[in-house]
Amino acid sequence: MTRRERYREETRGEAKRIALEQLAELGVEGVSVNAIAKRMGITGPALYRYFKNREDLLTELIRDAWRDLAEAVEDAAEQSAGRPPDERVHEFGRAFRDWAIGRPHRYLLLFGTPLPGYHAPPDTVALAHRTMSAFIGVLTAARTAGTTDRSTLDEQLVDWARSRGEGEVDPAVLLTAVRAFTRLHGVLSLEVSGQFGPMGFDPALLYRAEVESLLAGD
């Protein structure tokens, strides 16, 4: 890299670090390009040379978060290779929860309330699917084959998987994957936002119970 390219990457990296601090402290509405520029000792217009606008900066944070999450669960899937299928699913679930609990502001950026007027670029959709793809991989060995008769939902799930480059995947696996993401996200979203606190139980046990229920086909 040239000196100019290094400076550009360093400036972008510093801006994103400050934006993550704002995100953790104030939520997504608190991310301000002008405030970031002030912290960095430069003007707002100067920072706009590195990010076209606030949406562009948020997109960078979203890309980084999806990539970081995908790497965490892919590593868990790789490290658990060769273990019993159900254990691999639990390891995936553990890695997913650990990432969310350790980075609640980034989790909510991805899975919280949609940003008004924000439209994610196509490449972020591909990054997001890496997490689902890793899950499909560990579920494939843990689920028994489904019936040969396919419902309309089965066909739609198969078409969706093909469009994401998954190839031929048993619809039963795909249904379990989608149901799991729906249910596990529900538990995690409530946990990271502190909704379970007054109830006095360990959310980790509820999360594990959800994984067990999905493996049992409930």
Side-chain angles (χ1 to χ4, degrees), residues 67-201:
R67 191 177 293 111
D68 192 38
L69 172 58
E71 289 172 356
V73 296
E74 287 168 351
D75 183 63
E78 182 179 348
Q79 294 297 321
S80 65
R83 295 171 61 179
D86 284 13
E87 287 187 18
R88 296 195 68 202
V89 174
H90 275 292
E91 281 301 302
F92 177 94
R94 179 197 56 75
F96 190 90
R97 180 177 179 274
D98 286 350
W99 189 91
I101 299 304
R103 305 156 185 82
H105 55 297
R106 300 180 79 191
Y107 175 85
L108 291 174
L109 177 65
L110 299 181
F111 300 108
T113 303
L115 304 177
Y118 177 80
H119 300 286
D123 69 296
T124 63
V125 177
L127 282 171
H129 188 73
R130 282 177 57 185
T131 299
M132 177 64 83
S133 185
F135 195 33
I136 290 171
V138 298
L139 278 175
T140 296
R143 295 289 297 169
T144 57
T147 62
T148 55
D149 295 330
R150 290 184 176 181
S151 67
T152 300
L153 177 57
D154 288 339
E155 295 293 347
Q156 291 175 352
L157 290 172
V158 168
D159 288 344
W160 160 70
R162 287 174 181 156
S163 74
R164 294 289 181 264
E166 293 294 340
E168 294 299 318
V169 182
D170 189 331
V173 170
L174 298 175
L175 180 59
T176 298
V178 173
R179 288 176 60 215
F181 263 63
T182 301
R183 290 165 60 175
L184 297 183
H185 285 323
V187 175
L188 284 175
S189 295
L190 290 170
E191 182 176 7
V192 299
S193 59
Q195 299 301 312
F196 289 134
M199 300 178 73
F201 65 85

